[in-house]
Amino acid sequence: MGKQRYLLALAVIMTFSFVTACSQSTSSGEKGAENSPTSAAQKGASAEAIQKGTYKFETPVTITTVKATDATMKFKNGETMENNVHTKWAHDQLGVDLKVLWQVPGEQFNTKLRLMLTANESLPDVLTTQDMTLLDELIQSGKYRDITADFEKYASPKMKQIYNSNPLNWSQVTYGGKKMAIPNFATAGNDNPVMWIRQDWLDKLGMKAPKTFEELEAVMQAFLEKKPGGSDNVIPLGASLGSGGSSPNPFTSWLGETSWVFGALGTVPYQWLVKDGKLVHGSTLPAMKDGLAKLRDWYNKGYLSKEAGLHDENKLAELIAQGRVGIVVAPSWMSGWPNTDMQKNVAGSIMKPYPLPTLNGKIEARDTTYLRGGLLVKKDFEHVDALFLYLNRIFGAVNPEEGSEFVNGWAKDYDYTIKADGTYSVTEADIPGGKVSPAKYLLIEPKDPFIGMKLRADVSRGKAPVTPSEKKIAVSGQDGLKAAEIVDDGWKAGIYIPQAYTGANTPAMQSKGGILVKLEGDTFINIIYGKKPVTEFDNFVKEWKSLGGDDMTKEVNDWYSKMKK
């Protein structure tokens, strides 16, 4: 009996040792040994290490994704989307393998994903989309997960501070109180309108930058008549009324917008506004008629190009680069492009930034949204911990501390270099083999939406640069910094009016949005061109409402009522 008890005890000990060894070798994201005390302790330690970004998976974890490509996505050193400096960093530093299942040009991306959904094909572990309709469809498919608990458990303090700093940050991706994606951000105010004027033309004519609509019209008339550029092809005011392609967006494009013309009269087109405690669509308010009449008058006087309705942003950029445009309302970053192309092509040319002109002491314009969809996580993806480890590390690039891994950029000799004298440079000519942006290879580009414009404005006002971000900003172009200061001043003065509806696309938006946007674009352009009378605006409003506008208005106000509670 003694021997039997000894063998039984030995068997129990060996079994326990085997189970313990197995649980200790299980990586934190894997299934198995869930109830083991040792495993639970490891998981707790791993969650903390993941938040700090110090963890590394011994057995590499694969995260699959898909990519929409564009002309700015470039590679060097024989690299590809699947194998490049960033994927190597993720593998070496984190034990994470980023696998791109497929990549297609941006215009084909949505169609390919919808076909996969229809065919019930296997979808990637994560994907980022800025298209809210597609994001809705993917979430409604039930194939992507609520990341509320994951974010709370694994996100770093820095990620939490950024994402929880403003209740709007989660608004586009929250469904029924559930966080269904990691929000994707642009820089807040990045495309906010600033008036840029050919300063060399003003100086030649002895004129000052206009502060009012009346002064603006005087400057445009002088540009048209006196041709300070020495050409008959002068365009006093550059406008891209043909922007948007199949979804016409005449007044709120990212270069050459005219939302401010309507803003001075009391509305902002193409966005939802708060009026008398309710949401109304800016394109349907009576002030739109006055704004259309004003643009029609400017068109007839020759202040706008006769082909403005065919000009998208890229075409307008070409005209600016040719030196033909006198005034354009454009983002603060215009100092970098297309201004630099203009200066190369036209000797002595220079555009300077100024505040928007007022009408009867009033001016308003759109506050461009910084919410750009989000990163979705597949419901059955087992390594959310690995995803957050990756995210926590790359978010270290946001306003980085001195000495941190991304303080100079994403990768040396890719988007920056250190020259022989030890100085830092992002100049194309200084970077061996040319400059490329590894940010394009990331699953999502990390941003704090509100910090960029503020830092630039502060430096423009004379703040001594202290942080690495401020030091980089201080050596950038002064015109761009001044433009950022104008945007920041505009925020403080309440000039820039935000989009009041920031929720997901409503059912009516999904089914009728395209029709209504096309109706707006066609009607408004025809009024400006004189093909339809200004009174046609009243018929447009009636048709807009009957075609689905009333349904959209009800849906956004239902959302607004809930948000106010």
Side-chain angles (χ1 to χ4, degrees):
M1 291 293 292
K3 184 177 182 181
Q4 287 179 329
R5 281 196 293 269
Y6 169 76
L7 291 173
L8 178 61
L10 182 60
V12 170
I13 291 169
M14 291 178 67
T15 301
F16 179 77
S17 300
F18 177 75
V19 171
T20 303
C22 288
S23 68
Q24 288 177 333
S25 66
T26 303
S27 75
S28 70
E30 292 178 308
K31 291 183 176 179
E34 291 291 338
N35 298 318
S36 162
T38 304
S39 175
Q42 283 184 334
K43 283 179 178 289
S46 297
E48 183 179 351
I50 285 167
Q51 285 187 4
K52 293 179 179 179
T54 57
Y55 195 81
K56 180 178 179 180
F57 291 91
E58 292 181 12
T59 302
V61 171
T62 297
I63 301 176
T64 62
T65 191
V66 292
K67 281 281 188 179
T69 60
D70 59 42
T72 66
M73 196 171 285
K74 299 177 181 178
F75 300 93
K76 63 189 297 184
N77 302 329
E79 296 175 355
T80 64
M81 186 62 75
E82 296 80 11
N83 183 14
N84 55 63
V85 65
H86 181 67
T87 59
K88 186 177 186 299
W89 168 85
H91 176 87
D92 293 347
Q93 293 288 318
L94 312 177
V96 171
D97 288 335
L98 304 177
K99 183 178 180 181
V100 180
L101 299 179
W102 50 259
Q103 53 184 301
V104 295
E107 62 271 17
Q108 300 174 25
F109 185 77
N110 292 2
T111 300
K112 187 169 179 65
L113 277 171
R114 287 191 174 103
L115 289 172
M116 292 180 71
L117 268 178
T118 302
N120 200 30
E121 294 180 20
S122 179
L123 293 163
D125 297 327
V126 303
L127 67 88
T128 299
T129 178
Q130 297 186 28
D131 187 291
M132 286 306 300
T133 301
L134 177 61
L135 186 139
D136 289 339
E137 292 171 9
L138 291 165
I139 290 173
Q140 298 298 342
S141 74
K143 296 182 183 296
Y144 287 87
R145 69 191 283 154
D146 169 11
I147 54 92
T148 306
D150 301 318
F151 183 85
E152 186 59 34
K153 181 176 181 179
Y154 292 120
S156 67
K158 188 169 194 174
M159 278 194 73
K160 288 177 179 175
Q161 185 277 321
I162 291 171
Y163 280 106
N164 296 334
S165 64
N166 190 312
L168 288 180
N169 291 355
W170 290 99
S171 58
Q172 274 196 338
V173 298
T174 299
Y175 288 67
K178 298 177 180 179
K179 295 178 173 71
M180 297 301 298
I182 298 291
N184 183 49
F185 297 141
T187 298
N190 192 54
D191 291 341
N192 279 25
V194 172
M195 183 172 62
W196 293 82
I197 306 181
R198 282 288 296 270
Q199 187 66 46
D200 53 319
W201 289 7
L202 287 176
D203 294 344
K204 188 173 184 178
L205 298 177
M207 302 184 78
K208 293 183 178 181
K211 295 182 178 179
T212 66
F213 268 46
E214 184 178 34
E215 292 174 357
L216 173 66
E217 291 178 347
V219 169
M220 291 192 293
Q221 186 65 35
F223 284 175
L224 189 66
E225 291 179 352
K226 299 181 180 180
K227 302 176 177 54
S231 169
D232 290 334
N233 294 320
V234 167
I235 300 172
L237 179 64
S240 52
L241 301 182
S243 68
S246 59
S247 298
N249 187 24
F251 312 127
T252 56
S253 53
W254 50 260
L255 183 68
E257 72 149 84
T258 48
S259 75
W260 51 279
V261 176
F262 302 90
L265 293 160
T267 190
V268 180
Y270 288 93
Q271 71 181 47
W272 295 92
L273 309 171
V274 179
K275 298 287 185 182
D276 300 323
K278 292 186 176 182
L279 298 190
V280 295
H281 200 272
S283 294
T284 65
L285 296 180
M288 277 296 296
K289 184 191 288 188
D290 297 329
L292 290 169
K294 175 63 72 175
L295 286 177
R296 179 181 176 130
D297 177 54
W298 288 356
Y299 178 82
N300 288 336
K301 288 178 177 177
Y303 299 161
L304 305 179
S305 167
K306 293 301 180 184
E307 298 178 343
L310 300 175
H311 293 165
D312 63 6
E313 297 93 335
N314 290 316
K315 179 60 181 178
L316 179 58
E318 290 179 19
L319 298 172
I320 294 169
Q322 293 168 10
R324 292 180 54 192
V325 177
I327 303 169
V328 63
V329 175
S332 61
W333 48 256
M334 186 174 158
S335 59
W337 178 86
N339 274 13
T340 49
D341 288 349
M342 176 191 70
Q343 290 169 335
K344 290 176 184 176
N345 296 332
V346 182
S349 63
I350 185 168
M351 273 191 162
K352 292 283 187 180
Y354 292 95
L356 295 169
T358 62
L359 180 62
N360 299 322
K362 181 179 179 180
I363 185 63
E364 289 180 351
R366 66 178 182 135
D367 190 16
T368 54
T369 181
Y370 63 92
L371 302 173
R372 302 292 169 86
L375 181 147
L376 295 142
V377 185
K378 200 174 178 184
K379 183 172 285 186
D380 60 2
F381 181 49
E382 297 178 3
H383 280 290
V384 180
D385 52 356
L387 172 64
F388 274 95
L389 172 64
Y390 169 85
L391 294 173
N392 291 336
R393 280 287 284 272
I394 66 172
F395 266 82
V398 178
N399 199 21
E401 297 178 0
E402 200 73 64
S404 61
E405 66 180 326
F406 299 122
V407 69
N408 292 317
W410 290 111
K412 181 176 178 288
D413 293 339
Y414 285 79
D415 56 341
Y416 76 94
T417 194
I418 303 299
K419 297 193 292 185
D421 61 3
T423 58
Y424 158 88
S425 175
V426 295
T427 303
E428 173 92 23
D430 292 336
I431 299 175
K435 185 177 183 178
V436 300
S437 176
K440 296 288 183 179
Y441 315 155
L442 275 59
L443 296 180
I444 187 172
E445 188 172 355
K447 281 189 174 71
D448 181 335
F450 294 103
I451 198 169
M453 200 66 67
K454 184 180 185 307
L455 288 178
R456 292 167 66 201
D458 287 347
V459 171
S460 177
R461 295 185 183 107
K463 181 181 183 295
V466 176
T467 68
S469 295
E470 289 170 344
K471 291 176 182 177
K472 287 181 185 177
I473 287 169
V475 297
S476 60
Q478 292 302 305
D479 289 340
L481 297 182
K482 183 62 179 178
E485 183 182 342
I486 291 169
V487 171
D488 194 47
D489 288 342
W491 274 333
K492 293 174 181 176
I495 286 173
Y496 297 115
I497 307 302
Q499 168 69 267
Y501 179 75
T502 57
N505 281 350
T506 68
M509 287 177 183
Q510 292 186 51
S511 61
K512 304 292 179 60
I515 297 172
L516 296 180
V517 167
K518 191 171 190 312
L519 174 66
E520 286 178 71
D522 291 347
T523 303
F524 295 162
I525 291 299
N526 281 325
I527 289 175
I528 293 169
Y529 271 23
K531 294 180 179 179
K532 290 184 178 181
V534 176
T535 53
E536 181 64 23
F537 173 79
D538 300 320
N539 294 327
F540 154 76
V541 173
K542 293 176 184 176
E543 191 173 1
W544 184 90
K545 290 182 176 181
S546 65
L547 286 176
D550 279 341
D551 294 332
M552 283 201 308
T553 302
K554 180 182 182 305
E555 290 167 349
V556 299
N557 275 287
D558 288 344
W559 170 89
Y560 187 60
S561 297
K562 294 175 184 176
M563 289 291 289
K564 288 194 296 184
K565 292 180 180 178

